[in-house]
């Protein structure tokens, strides 16, 4: 690592999408220079951020590969304004004495609400009714067998971290029975939330809706494959607000085409456009052809409150590192930790209390959590 400049440079991505009001507020009284940039590829990251002392990544449009980490020679911390860090080479960063931090608790309410939104849209045939009326067709179809009341039906959760627990709480208000598969959460803990613990196979075989809330790790990548879809009821739907990589897209498309499952509500995808809005680059996916699929563009995490919270929390950790103190939400452990722990001042104590407001204990599912995977941008 080369010597950093006397005035730290903080690279801030999604420069065109957001202003710097929150970041400037957090760094008030500290001499830093912000560099807002727009990036879409790893080459962009290297070109725009090679000489910065810290990065606040607000939309994660491109992965932080080993090559990117190596190019950011002076970077002491990469802050992910979201939950999932599977697109950041955290081990390479640790070897380069660079912290990677995330925001593990910021959008639980939003992602859990979006989960129920997708479920309701599918179960109540919302998109078909809406599209027909906008085409001038009074499509008052009351003969379809595909619309069911929620009360008494079963929601299956894959993963039982913070977001999944909030989904269960909200689902109970609709009269849904809830079961969950999570190897890191015991049956007693689930029972306290009125949720039945079951193996993964049992959940996908039993549930009327299977909702994914697991982190994207080696053991979970592609967990919803042809075998999993073959186990599901033909009347069941899949909901994914966690990580696109949990689902084998080709197998999902086949299951939808053959009627193996009834539909899907998806906010995350294994391949997502790098753009921050608009039609360029386009969203290319065979999932677009299905009337039985409800799609949203990785926005389950979003609300004005969640957006402000994630940016503020990430910026606070960047400031801590640049001041020589350890961050609150580190996901790696740099060997040459740049700075030793120091006593927090009152502002830092208050910030830590605010950030600890939600339950961080997600087991292994601080996902994706999400919601994490988000989503993030979860």
């Amino acid at each position: 690592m080369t010597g950093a400049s006397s005035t730290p440079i903080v690279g801030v991505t999604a420069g065109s999408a957001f202003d710097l009001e929150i970041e400037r507020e957090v760094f008030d009284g500290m001499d830093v220079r912000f560099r807002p940039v727009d990036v879409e590829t790893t080459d962009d990251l290297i070109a725009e951020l090679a000489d910065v002392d810290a990065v606040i990544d607000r939309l994660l449009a491109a992965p932080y590969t080993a090559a990117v980490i190596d190019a950011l020679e002076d970077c002491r911390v990469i802050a992910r304004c979201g939950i999932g860090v599977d697109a950041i080479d955290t081990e390479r960063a640790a070897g380069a004495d660079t912290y990677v931090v995330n925001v593990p608790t910021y959008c639980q309410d939003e992602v859990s609400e979006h989960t129920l939104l997708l479920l309701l849209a599918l179960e109540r045939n919302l998109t078909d009714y809406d599209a027909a009326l906008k085409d001038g067709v009074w499509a008052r179809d009351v003969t379809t067998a595909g619309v069911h009341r929620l009360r008494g039906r079963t929601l299956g959760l894959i993963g039982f971290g913070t977001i999944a627990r909030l989904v269960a709480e909200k689902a109970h208000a609709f009269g849904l029975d809830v079961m969950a598969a999570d190897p890191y959460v015991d049956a007693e803990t689930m029972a306290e939330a009125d949720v039945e613990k079951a193996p993964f196979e049992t959940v996908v075989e039993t549930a009327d809706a299977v909702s994914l809330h697991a982190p994207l790790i080696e053991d979970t990548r592609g967990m919803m494959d042809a075998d999993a879809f073959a186990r599901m009821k033909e009347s069941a739907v899949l909901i994914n607000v966690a990580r696109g990589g949990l689902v084998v897209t080709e197998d999902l498309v086949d299951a939808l085409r053959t009627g193996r499952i009834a539909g899907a509500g998806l906010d995350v995808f294994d391949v997502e456009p790098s753009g921050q809005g608009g039609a360029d680059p386009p969203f290319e996916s065979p999932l677009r052809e299905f009337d039985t699929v409800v799609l949203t563009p990785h926005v389950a995490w979003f609300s004005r409150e969640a957006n402000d919270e994630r940016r503020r929390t990430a910026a606070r950790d960047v400031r801590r590192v640049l001041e020589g103190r350890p961050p609150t939400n580190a996901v790696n452990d740099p060997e040459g930790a740049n700075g030793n722990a120091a006593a927090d001042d009152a502002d830092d104590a208050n910030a830590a209390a605010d950030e600890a407001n939600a339950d961080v204990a997600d087991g292994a599912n601080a996902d994706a959590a999400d919601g994490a995977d988000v989503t993030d941008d979860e």
Side-chain angles (χ1 to χ4, degrees):
M1 212 178 252
T2 62
S5 61
S6 56
T7 299
I9 302 171
V10 179
V12 186
T13 69
S16 297
F18 306 109
D19 59 26
L20 293 171
E21 179 180 357
I22 290 173
E23 290 78 16
R24 293 188 192 282
E25 174 189 312
V26 171
F27 281 88
D28 184 45
M30 181 178 182
D31 186 21
V32 298
R33 181 155 59 92
F34 293 108
R35 180 185 295 168
V37 299
D38 291 314
V39 297
E40 294 187 0
T41 68
T42 54
D43 288 342
D44 292 341
L45 288 172
I46 293 171
E48 298 287 354
L49 302 174
D51 62 336
V52 301
D53 299 281
V55 176
I56 300 175
D57 196 302
R58 300 189 289 189
L59 280 183
L60 198 59
Y64 287 75
T65 62
V68 173
I69 301 297
D70 292 345
L72 273 57
E73 294 183 352
D74 293 329
C75 189
R76 298 164 62 187
V77 56
I78 298 169
R80 158 85 163 104
C81 292
I83 298 171
V85 292
D86 43 279
I88 303 175
D89 192 332
T90 56
E91 291 187 8
R92 188 68 159 226
D97 294 343
T98 300
Y99 278 110
V100 175
V101 303
N102 71 343
V103 185
T105 64
Y106 78 104
C107 63
Q108 294 99 328
D109 285 319
E110 289 77 5
V111 177
S112 61
E113 290 163 4
H114 204 88
T115 301
L116 271 295
L117 176 147
L118 292 173
L119 176 61
L120 288 166
L122 288 165
E123 293 291 351
R124 297 301 304 169
N125 204 26
L126 176 65
T127 55
D128 283 352
Y129 292 144
D130 176 69
L133 283 177
K134 288 177 178 175
D135 286 338
V137 179
W138 187 252
R140 193 182 179 197
D141 183 0
V142 293
T143 63
T144 177
V147 176
H148 302 275
R149 67 170 54 138
L150 294 184
R151 185 172 300 278
R153 290 170 72 79
T154 299
L155 174 64
L157 305 175
I158 307 303
F160 199 63
T162 302
I163 289 175
R165 297 175 201 206
L166 287 172
V167 171
E169 177 184 313
K170 294 174 171 69
H172 284 138
F174 286 96
L176 283 158
D177 297 324
V178 184
M179 61 195 312
D182 190 322
Y184 302 97
V185 181
D186 60 38
E188 182 179 357
T189 299
M190 290 191 187
E192 291 172 357
D194 195 17
V195 173
E196 176 188 352
K197 180 178 174 68
F200 172 80
E201 293 79 9
T202 302
V203 171
V204 296
E205 290 169 357
T206 305
D208 297 295
V210 175
S211 187
L212 306 183
H213 301 279
L216 183 60
I217 57 177
E218 184 177 352
D219 289 344
T220 62
R221 185 178 296 276
M223 67 191 310
M224 293 304 300
D225 56 11
D227 180 66
F229 292 123
R231 292 176 180 272
M232 289 177 64
K233 296 178 179 179
E234 290 187 3
S235 59
V237 298
L238 173 74
I239 297 171
N240 188 11
V241 294
R243 281 290 180 266
L246 299 173
V247 178
V248 179
T249 300
E250 294 81 2
D251 293 349
L252 172 57
V253 169
D254 184 64
L256 290 164
R257 280 189 178 139
T258 60
R260 182 56 259 172
I261 65 172
L266 309 170
D267 184 62
V268 290
F269 309 89
D270 56 350
V271 178
E272 298 182 356
S274 58
Q276 297 165 7
D280 187 24
F283 174 60
E284 302 283 2
S285 173
L287 293 165
R288 292 169 49 193
E289 70 185 69
F290 296 99
D291 293 336
T292 55
V293 174
V294 178
L295 306 174
T296 57
H298 205 149
V299 292
W301 63 274
F302 180 73
S303 71
R304 175 60 184 271
E305 295 80 6
N307 188 42
D308 289 355
E309 181 182 348
R310 73 189 183 101
R311 289 171 57 189
R312 185 172 289 109
T313 302
R316 282 172 176 160
D317 256 353
V318 169
R319 176 164 183 163
R320 290 175 67 90
V321 173
L322 293 180
E323 289 179 334
R325 294 177 294 145
T328 301
N329 296 309
V331 298
N332 68 346
D333 186 17
E335 294 181 3
N338 30 69
N340 296 318
D344 292 343
D345 58 26
D347 286 342
D348 291 323
N350 289 336
D354 289 342
E355 294 163 14
N357 244 346
D359 177 13
V360 186
D362 279 2
N365 302 313
D367 102 46
D370 205 113
D373 287 290
V374 225
T375 259
D376 51 61
D377 180 274
E378 71 355 293

